[in-house]
Amino acid sequence: MTLELIRQTASYVRERAGFEPQIGIILGTGLGGLVDEIQISTAIDYADIPNFPVSTVEGHHGRLIFGMLGGKRVVAMQGRFHYYEGYTPQQVVFPVRVMKLLGIECLFVSNASGGVNPQFRTGDLMVITDHINLIPNPLVGPNISELGTRFPDMNDAYDPALIRLAGEVAAGLGIELQYGCYVGGTGPTFETQKEYGYFRAIGGDTVGMSTTPEVIAARHMLIPVFGVSVITNVGLSGEKSTHEEVQREGAKAAVNMTRLFVGMISAL
């Protein structure tokens, strides 16, 4: 994806949306309920956006939502793109590149994930403090120097100030948070028991099939990131996982995630 394509898409979206968003939001599987809290001014189907991929996964609606949330101008992806759908890593992060040109100042990301930390339970919210990326890196290939440096630092991939704010907001709302490391894998298979054990051994607390490419692209462009994993199944329990179960459990836990996101955005 070239800078010219990114600019072309951003120009189209900016004209349709009619305002400059302050905050970008990416909603994971079963987590689209946050959209109900947005005072929507414009909704654009991905299929109508030049150069945009189209989500093929059930539970991802495929719309770019513009509106007000917590007193801030936001743009929300109701449905994201995944490497396992056959998209390149560069296509997966293309919307984040477009959001940067639209003017976002920070990015909120969410995902449905399997818990590998034995202390976690289905329905928990885990604030992502670090990640292990096992998906091909979206920065491989020619660097777009206008967007960021060739070798970006990932030491604070998830913004410490936003993590602290999450703790304060959650305490005020009575929401219990977990904290930990997210492992991003390619999917689309759910993990074997040995794979779950491996991810735990290398420092992972949850595992999923998304997020890390978008975070890498955001940090390449110096966008602060806050991330939450919704634990929709516990991987080391030995129970079989289904996409329908992930959607169902994600929708339940999304209520608290929505409260957390709205509270944080209001406080920014």
Side-chain angles (χ1 to χ4, degrees), residues 23 123 206 221 238 255:
I23 296 168
T206 65
M221 300 182 292
V255 175

Side-chain angles (χ1 to χ4, degrees), residues 10 32 51 55 64 69 79 81 88 91 95 97 118 127 165 174 183 194 196 222 245 248-249 252 268:
N51 311 314
S55 182
L64 205 56
L69 181 69
F81 310 111
T88 67
Q91 287 175 306
R97 302 294 198 191
V127 173
L165 177 61
V183 180
K194 289 296 185 182
Y196 280 126
L222 301 180
E245 176 193 11
R248 185 169 58 251
E249 294 300 329
K252 290 180 189 175
L268 289 175

Side-chain angles (χ1 to χ4, degrees), residues 78-94:
Q78 193 177 19
R80 57 148 53 92
F81 310 111
H82 305 80
Y83 180 70
Y84 66 72
E85 293 177 81
Y87 292 120
T88 67
Q90 292 75 25
Q91 287 175 306
V92 168
V93 305
F94 185 75

Side-chain angles (χ1 to χ4, degrees), residues 2-11 14 20-21 95-104 146-147 221 223:
T2 66
L3 182 58
E4 181 54 38
L5 284 179
I6 299 167
R7 284 174 170 161
Q8 182 185 97
T9 302
S11 177
R14 188 181 299 109
E20 183 175 294
V96 179
R97 302 294 198 191
V98 171
M99 285 183 181
K100 170 66 175 180
L101 267 60
L102 292 176
I104 67 166
E146 293 89 344
L147 296 179
M221 300 182 292
I223 301 171

